[in-house]
Amino acid sequence: MFRSPKPLLRARSIAIVGASDRARWPVSIYYNLTSTKAKVKILPINPSRDEVWGLPCYPNFGSLPTVPDLALIIIPATHVLASLEEGSQHGLKAALVYASGIGEGTDPEFHQRGLALKHLCDRTGLVACGPNCMGTVSVKEKLFLYPNPDFNLSKPGPVAGVFQSGGTLQHWCRVAAERGVRFSYMVSSGNELSLDTADYINFFVDDPKTKIIILMIEGIRRTDAFKAAAERALLAGKPILAVKVGQTEEARNSAKSHTGAIAGDYDVFAALCEQYGIVLCSTLDDMVETTLAFQLERLPKGNSMAFISNSGGVVDLLHDHAAQENAKLASYSKETIRNVRNLVGPDMPMQNPMDCGQAGFADPKNYMRVCEAVASDKGVHMLAFEARTPNREGERSALPLKDLKKGTNVPVFAFNRMEYTMNEVGRSYQEQTGIPHLQSMPETIRAMKALAFYAVRKGKLVPKYPLPKGKKRNLQVGMIEKVLSLYGISSPVSRYAKTTDEAAKSAKKIGFPVALKVISEEISHKTEVGGVMLGLNTQAEVRKGVDILRKRIKENNQDPNLLGFLLQEMVEGVEVIVGVREDPLYGPVLVVGTGGIFVELVRDTAFCMLPVSKAKATLLIKDLSINKLIKGFRGSKPADREALIDAICGLSKFYLDHRPWLSDLEINPLIIRENGKGVRAVDIRFHLHDK
């Protein structure tokens, strides 16, 4: 399943195809390798030169004195395939292809080149990074194969990353390094026609120097391999942090053009991240702060946060930010309040977030004593105190912060209310203290939430899909409702009718009032075509309703094959949508949210990969806006939450039991009745796989 990038990232001999002392990229890479004294043999290839950079230059791979571990292909796209073909014939096993115009975009010629390169790699066993990339960085090995010197002074560290955007990699790493992030490997993976993100993750999992993996993803090439690599990282306790493009249609289309990959549905990808313990960062700035937080290599035992400042205004802002981020603020014990009171004086409110006043400004040691007293509270799982790094040597001692870190086992962070520039003095101070100095309050809170998220999932196996136990005959109109009831999803009392008379008689047997709906495989959303009438109280109203529905369908220029009419008892309660479908990239996924006619208007939804446990279903409902209605809103009685949880889990199981035949199934609305009275699947829509 995986291909190894080892010859790429740990090469000891490198051929530079397109070697030249005038072209910028070959010159820059040669400078990187020599100025950093990389222990690597350089073999220039250029048929037009006998010597480059004072080294013998060879016309082709066949003339080289030895087979290189890696070839840097720095030539136009039109010549790349011929060069790689010749190289593979002479034993070449790894290549780094910088050129664009191979595989990306919509140009047929680019597309053909991409297919040819992929075929060449599959046929010969050659592994390639790119094309359309900007190179790789192996810090410990001093292989800075990026066409500028930005990485040359990088210090080895625990962070390895894969960015599908080479330009973004360069800018992100520069900012992150200025903040104290230290790297093991960084890869600009480009179009990923050979080696892809999954291969690099798998390699990083096995690398003892790498502790944290970061990703900038435009599209995933091999979802199953990506899942397998992500699960290996989860079991190994190596967190993956990711930024993913594709939240808008424009971004998804751009990703297709740029990398040739399918970006996929962002909501489903987020659900995949939740299942595999991947920290999904909303911005590149967030990923800097979150990486720094993880670089502490200390995870919390819960999600309760404490914040200490020396400003009442910051305290107020933290309250707002914590609420906006749905962060949990710790409550202090009486002992903690007593201990802190002795340190800050009688006038400061004992709250979280807390303003220490002059106890923070005047005495740094006392400020750290306050922090230590709070961090000792068993209800506090993470602590952040307001502080920034100094700009001048000797401005501030690192010892009080070092003592704080040593004196507690919870994750501790310094934070600043806004972003600021950190210089070399500040970076050195941060390293001496051993405490990450995060910037901006919302990013700090999100980084701490990410730690709590990962701590719960670290080392756990991802649940596997059970073998399907259903039967295809269950997936028929009239049968599916009965089978769903066995999974905890009951439908209203219903009857089917083909004629007006049958409809009237069926309504009387059900009992008034009733709902009347058209039945047609060609109409997915009945309300949009006027195919539903509610609250019919007599047989006469039902007869009239049938005529009205037929007329409406015709007036809406619909000419469906009407199979008949559905009569249902009227059911009242909270309306939700629950659906399952087979995502073409990521697999079976469930959605739950505000239902009825508001589903697309309100966009109050949560997604989850299957299978769904009771614990996961409970969390899905918790963060929905409609949860307020379920609890009971403005005098209304609480709805049957447990029945909804059972229905979500039941739908997950039903889908997996019928996955070989069932493409998607949506219940909208699923009505949650008063507490203790269950749920009713009012409208069930499903599709089978096309075969």
Side-chain angles (χ1 to χ4, degrees):
M1 179 179 285
F2 297 113
R3 297 154 293 203
S4 176
K6 181 178 178 180
L8 173 80
L9 298 176
R10 295 177 181 167
R12 305 317 305 153
S13 59
I14 297 176
I16 302 179
V17 181
S20 167
D21 49 17
R22 292 190 297 270
R24 187 174 72 85
W25 282 31
V27 168
S28 295
I29 292 170
Y30 177 76
Y31 170 80
N32 294 347
L33 293 172
T34 53
S35 65
T36 59
K37 296 181 172 58
K39 295 179 180 179
V40 60
K41 183 175 181 62
I42 300 173
L43 301 165
I45 293 180
N46 186 333
S48 302
R49 302 289 298 274
D50 295 325
E51 181 181 295
V52 179
W53 308 310
L55 298 173
C57 188
Y58 303 92
N60 50 41
F61 285 99
S63 61
L64 293 177
T66 184
V67 178
D69 295 331
L70 171 67
L72 310 184
I73 311 298
I74 317 176
I75 55 178
T78 51
H79 301 294
V80 166
L81 286 167
S83 179
L84 290 177
E85 186 70 58
E86 194 251 340
S88 65
Q89 290 173 2
H90 289 87
L92 180 67
K93 294 301 181 185
L96 205 166
V97 183
Y98 295 87
S100 60
I102 308 174
E104 79 275 9
T106 57
D107 188 301
E109 187 176 349
F110 291 6
H111 183 64
Q112 268 314 116
R113 285 185 199 140
L115 291 175
L117 176 57
K118 188 176 186 308
H119 177 67
L120 186 152
C121 291
D122 292 341
R123 173 170 49 84
T124 65
L126 177 80
V127 294
C129 177
N132 191 22
C133 71
M134 292 185 68
T136 62
V137 173
S138 304
V139 179
K140 182 184 175 185
E141 294 84 355
K142 296 184 179 181
L143 295 181
F144 300 105
L145 307 180
Y146 212 86
N148 60 52
D150 282 0
F151 296 99
N152 290 4
L153 299 178
S154 297
K155 299 177 182 178
V159 179
V162 186
F163 279 47
Q164 290 179 342
S165 166
T168 306
L169 171 74
Q170 173 183 337
H171 289 287
W172 190 89
C173 287
R174 180 186 298 149
V175 172
E178 288 171 354
R179 294 288 311 289
V181 174
R182 299 291 178 251
F183 306 107
S184 54
Y185 299 98
M186 295 301 293
V187 176
S188 161
S189 62
N191 292 350
E192 297 189 352
L193 297 185
S194 173
L195 293 168
D196 61 19
T197 299
D199 295 316
Y200 296 115
I201 294 173
N202 186 63
F203 177 82
F204 299 149
V205 169
D206 292 330
D207 176 50
K209 299 294 184 182
T210 297
K211 308 295 183 184
I212 303 162
I213 300 168
I214 60 171
L215 308 174
M216 189 274 185
I217 302 171
E218 296 178 358
I220 295 176
R221 289 283 175 186
R222 298 181 298 144
T223 308
D224 288 344
F226 180 85
K227 290 179 180 179
E231 184 169 20
R232 290 197 70 224
L234 187 63
L235 293 173
K238 296 192 177 186
I240 297 176
L241 284 52
V243 168
K244 171 75 166 63
V245 307
Q247 296 192 50
T248 64
E249 189 66 31
E250 291 78 9
R252 288 191 286 272
N253 289 336
S254 176
K256 286 181 188 178
S257 174
H258 186 54
T259 67
I262 302 171
D265 188 296
Y266 189 87
D267 290 324
V268 183
F269 180 76
L272 185 79
C273 288
E274 194 280 333
Q275 186 177 49
Y276 283 83
I278 298 171
V279 175
L280 188 56
C281 301
S282 56
T283 67
L284 293 169
D285 292 310
D286 268 311
M287 194 156 70
V288 171
E289 308 308 322
T290 307
T291 303
L292 276 169
F294 273 94
Q295 206 168 254
L296 178 67
E297 294 189 42
R298 186 181 285 185
L299 294 176
K301 295 181 180 179
N303 63 351
S304 295
M305 307 176 189
F307 295 92
I308 299 174
S309 175
N310 47 37
S311 165
V314 168
V315 165
D316 295 339
L317 287 168
L318 282 168
H319 274 295
D320 290 341
H321 293 312
Q324 290 161 5
E325 298 297 335
N326 197 23
K328 183 179 179 181
L329 297 175
S331 297
Y332 299 149
S333 68
K334 291 180 180 180
E335 182 183 1
T336 298
I337 292 172
R338 184 170 58 252
N339 292 338
V340 172
R341 174 63 71 201
N342 293 332
L343 296 168
V344 301
D347 58 329
M348 305 311 297
M350 291 292 100
Q351 61 176 341
N352 179 27
M354 184 170 64
D355 175 12
C356 288
Q358 290 301 312
F361 278 114
D363 187 350
K365 291 184 179 179
N366 192 62
Y367 190 34
M368 291 300 99
R369 292 190 192 103
V370 174
C371 293
E372 188 169 354
V374 171
S376 299
D377 193 309
K378 291 182 179 179
V380 173
H381 303 128
M382 293 170 280
L383 170 71
F385 58 92
E386 186 181 5
R388 59 170 289 166
T389 55
N391 291 323
R392 300 184 303 276
E393 289 283 0
E395 182 180 340
R396 199 177 313 141
S397 171
L399 189 58
L401 275 69
K402 288 178 67 175
D403 289 343
L404 170 64
K405 182 185 177 187
K406 182 187 282 187
T408 180
N409 59 2
V410 303
V412 288
F413 307 100
F415 76 92
N416 198 56
R417 62 193 75 180
M418 296 175 66
E419 296 179 3
Y420 63 93
T421 301
M422 182 187 286
N423 60 18
E424 185 57 43
V425 172
R427 285 190 292 275
S428 176
Y429 176 84
Q430 178 176 249
E431 288 183 11
Q432 291 175 52
T433 65
I435 292 178
H437 283 58
L438 309 183
Q439 296 187 7
S440 184
M441 291 177 282
E443 282 87 343
T444 298
I445 292 170
R446 289 195 288 268
M448 294 167 75
K449 282 190 68 177
L451 286 175
F453 163 85
Y454 182 75
V456 173
R457 291 156 179 81
K458 176 186 174 184
K460 293 185 178 177
L461 286 168
V462 175
K464 304 302 180 186
Y465 302 133
L467 292 174
K469 298 178 181 178
K471 295 179 173 62
K472 187 176 181 181
R473 66 171 179 266
N474 294 337
L475 305 175
Q476 302 176 42
V477 174
M479 175 64 78
I480 194 170
E481 294 86 351
K482 296 177 183 178
V483 178
L484 279 170
S485 68
L486 301 177
Y487 289 79
I489 308 168
S490 298
S491 296
V493 178
S494 305
R495 287 181 176 270
Y496 295 92
K498 291 186 176 181
T499 66
T500 303
D501 287 341
E502 287 180 7
K505 291 176 182 177
S506 296
K508 184 177 181 180
K509 290 179 180 178
I510 291 171
F512 297 103
V514 297
L516 175 67
K517 305 175 183 180
V518 296
I519 301 174
S520 172
E521 293 179 353
E522 300 164 40
I523 300 177
S524 295
H525 302 289
K526 300 176 180 65
T527 54
E528 293 182 5
V529 296
V532 177
M533 295 187 74
L534 304 175
L536 304 181
N537 290 295
T538 65
Q539 285 184 298
E541 288 185 12
V542 171
R543 290 177 181 277
K544 185 177 180 180
V546 170
D547 292 338
I548 290 172
L549 291 187
R550 284 197 175 108
K551 185 177 180 181
R552 282 181 184 173
I553 299 300
K554 189 173 182 179
E555 288 175 349
N556 278 313
N557 295 319
Q558 298 286 329
D559 188 22
N561 178 24
L562 280 180
L563 301 177
F565 299 88
L566 175 66
L567 286 299
Q568 287 183 327
E569 67 171 323
M570 291 292 297
V571 182
E572 293 183 350
V574 179
E575 295 188 358
V576 298
I577 179 174
V578 183
V580 283
R581 68 180 174 89
E582 186 78 30
D583 185 86
L585 281 180
Y586 306 122
V589 62
L590 178 140
V591 60
V592 59
T594 298
I597 62 173
F598 298 107
V599 60
E600 293 182 11
L601 180 65
V602 176
R603 297 287 294 172
D604 175 38
T605 53
F607 291 80
C608 178
M609 305 305 295
L610 273 55
V612 183
S613 65
K614 278 199 169 189
K616 194 173 284 188
T618 302
L619 289 174
L620 284 177
I621 300 167
K622 180 182 176 183
D623 293 332
L624 292 171
S625 297
I626 203 169
N627 190 33
K628 295 177 182 177
L629 288 178
I630 296 171
K631 289 179 179 178
F633 187 68
R634 292 189 176 180
S636 64
K637 294 181 179 180
D640 199 333
R641 177 187 302 274
E642 288 303 313
L644 174 59
I645 292 170
D646 288 342
I648 291 171
C649 296
L651 186 60
S652 167
K653 189 174 187 307
F654 176 86
Y655 184 84
L656 292 176
D657 277 346
H658 297 83
R659 190 182 177 197
W661 313 283
L662 188 58
S663 171
D664 64 85
L665 188 154
E666 176 185 291
I667 303 173
N668 183 31
L670 177 74
I671 295 184
I672 318 168
R673 304 175 74 192
E674 186 180 326
N675 194 24
K677 294 187 177 180
V679 298
R680 294 292 183 269
V682 171
D683 195 357
I684 301 169
R685 180 191 64 82
F686 65 96
H687 293 104
L688 303 183
H689 289 299
D690 294 328
K691 288 185 178 178

